[in-house]
Amino acid sequence: MSSAISMPVETVEPLSKVDSAISGLSSSPTEEKKMGHRRTSSSAPGVYNINDLEKEGKELQIAKETQKLNWKLNTSPGTLDDKEALKKYLTTPPVKKIDLHFPLGLEVTARNLKGVTIKDALDAIHKQFKKKADDELENPVLAGFEWDKEESWTRLIVHQKKEGAAVSSSKKKKNKGDAEE
């Protein structure tokens, strides 16, 4: 019987090791909290949630540059000549996300926690149209965006046109015409 008594004494020691492991785990939830806190700071100061702007009644201004891009919806925004325009905020004040509504009912969302740029909007649109051929699109060129607060505060209406006016080539033609006269 004396040998049976010594057995439980041995099982008590491994239990104390398990207890120390459990107490070691208690520090990990605090690490998780730190990670969660770090995530929230990824939105830049001065960038708004569009729903908050609607509550406050702050009006949006759309970047005028979008009307001059003459960008085809099925081509990559990276092919545009005006790289500086792509870096500008789509709206003033900048927002974290905005819905882009097409007249036929399609809606895409552009997101960027540091503020949606023109490139973010074009990327979201391009994702929907990149597999379409030119002849499949009735109006393949971006004409610009419209914000109609009466219809919906949180989305922009996308305007399209049949073809883009080649800005640089038309100037050249005018210059040639002036030289001939």
Side-chain angles (χ1 to χ4, degrees):
M1 283 213 166
S2 62
S3 63
I5 294 172
S6 64
M7 281 280 246
V9 173
E10 289 176 38
T11 56
V12 171
E13 288 177 32
L15 286 177
S16 66
K17 289 179 186 174
V18 172
D19 290 343
S20 66
I22 291 171
S23 67
L25 288 175
S26 67
S27 65
S28 61
T30 56
E31 288 173 28
E32 286 175 26
K33 287 177 190 171
K34 286 179 190 173
M35 286 180 71
H37 175 70
R38 206 177 312 140
R39 226 177 266 147
T40 57
S41 67
S42 62
S43 63
V47 177
Y48 297 89
N49 180 327
I50 194 151
N51 297 323
D52 295 343
L53 291 177
E54 184 177 12
K55 286 176 197 160
E56 293 170 24
K58 279 194 180 175
E59 302 215 352
L60 292 176
Q61 300 290 320
I62 302 170
K64 300 267 189 275
E65 290 83 357
T66 58
Q67 297 167 17
K68 301 172 194 152
L69 292 174
N70 289 318
W71 172 67
K72 285 177 106 176
L73 306 182
N74 60 354
T75 59
S76 170
T79 61
L80 282 172
D81 295 332
D82 193 357
K83 302 283 187 230
E84 287 304 307
L86 293 176
K87 296 175 187 170
K88 294 189 173 156
Y89 290 125
L90 179 63
T91 60
T92 307
V95 293
K96 293 176 188 174
K97 77 172 189 132
I98 191 154
D99 294 326
L100 306 172
H101 181 75
F102 287 83
L104 295 174
L106 175 70
E107 195 160 289
V108 296
T109 304
R111 293 181 178 85
N112 186 338
L113 291 175
K114 293 179 172 64
V116 173
T117 63
I118 293 173
K119 183 181 186 311
D120 296 322
L122 299 189
D123 283 340
I125 294 168
H126 177 246
K127 192 173 181 183
Q128 292 296 318
F129 291 100
K130 64 184 174 186
K131 292 186 173 77
K132 299 268 189 213
D134 288 357
D135 58 356
E136 288 181 75
L137 298 169
E138 191 177 326
N139 296 319
V141 178
L142 178 73
F145 299 99
E146 175 192 356
W147 180 63
D148 184 0
K149 65 180 178 185
E150 303 301 320
E151 189 177 319
S152 173
W153 196 285
T154 60
R155 72 182 183 198
L156 300 180
I157 300 161
V158 180
H159 288 284
Q160 298 161 265
K161 54 188 176 181
K162 286 226 183 295
E163 36 187 75
V167 178
S168 59
S169 63
S170 64
K171 287 180 183 174
K172 287 178 187 173
K173 286 177 187 172
K174 285 179 186 174
N175 292 341
K176 284 180 185 175
D178 293 340
E180 288 172 11
E181 288 175 342

